[in-house]
Amino acid sequence: MAYLTFEEFKGLTSKDIGDEAFNALLPKASAILDNNTNHFYARVDISKDNTWRVGKFKDALVAQIEYFHVLGATSYEEINNSPQSFQAGRTNVTNPSRYSSSGQNETKPLVAEDVFIYLEGTGLLNKAVGVAYGNA
């Protein structure tokens, strides 16, 4: 079951992302959130969970879909495949870096920073390991 419908998505975003693009980006964005939430909603029925937490999770999913759409990529390799600089004739174009004045060694993360804004404080980012009693 998908975490988000296209109708819900349209209600949560102001970006103009079509149905086809949404359906293409949703599975990978869902996988990214599953990974960052320790697959919480694989174990907990999202329709029965706290509505505030579910809302924040869906906001984070929207942010991840928008991030993929803006970048035009869904994998780490695709996201970071653009050259730092290129030359056409006598014209040089260099993509600036936020981290180094030389523009080198900058990589963009696979997860949108906005995802963490929405998920912080929900308990979904908890990476603690549970203990199963009697199954040692």
Side-chain angles (χ1 to χ4, degrees):
M1 179 180 124
Y3 295 131
L4 190 68
T5 66
F6 184 62
E7 293 305 314
E8 288 175 307
F9 176 76
K10 287 193 312 188
L12 294 171
T13 186
S14 60
K15 305 282 189 223
D16 186 23
I17 298 174
D19 185 28
E20 197 171 300
F22 168 79
N23 288 325
L25 298 172
L26 180 63
K28 185 65 179 267
S30 297
I32 294 293
L33 261 67
D34 279 340
N35 182 266
N36 280 276
T37 62
N38 202 23
H39 301 274
F40 182 80
Y41 286 118
R43 298 183 315 273
V44 174
D45 186 350
I46 195 168
S47 65
K48 295 179 182 174
D49 195 23
N50 176 291
T51 56
W52 176 79
R53 179 168 45 200
V54 170
K56 292 296 185 181
F57 180 83
K58 288 183 178 190
D59 288 339
L61 189 54
V62 167
Q64 187 65 43
I65 291 169
E66 290 173 348
Y67 180 69
F68 282 159
H69 183 72
V70 166
L71 294 177
T74 59
S75 73
Y76 183 80
E77 289 78 15
E78 289 174 325
I79 290 170
N80 291 293
N81 198 20
S82 64
Q84 288 292 325
S85 63
F86 64 92
Q87 183 175 352
R90 296 187 321 177
T91 304
N92 283 326
V93 177
T94 301
N95 295 322
S97 171
R98 295 182 296 167
Y99 307 110
S100 121
S101 59
S102 68
Q104 300 299 314
N105 301 324
E106 178 179 352
T107 59
K108 293 178 184 165
L110 186 57
V111 182
E113 291 295 322
D114 291 355
V115 165
F116 300 108
I117 293 170
Y118 291 116
L119 295 182
E120 186 178 349
T122 64
L124 293 172
L125 295 174
N126 183 0
K127 297 292 185 184
V129 177
V131 177
Y133 295 102
N135 294 332

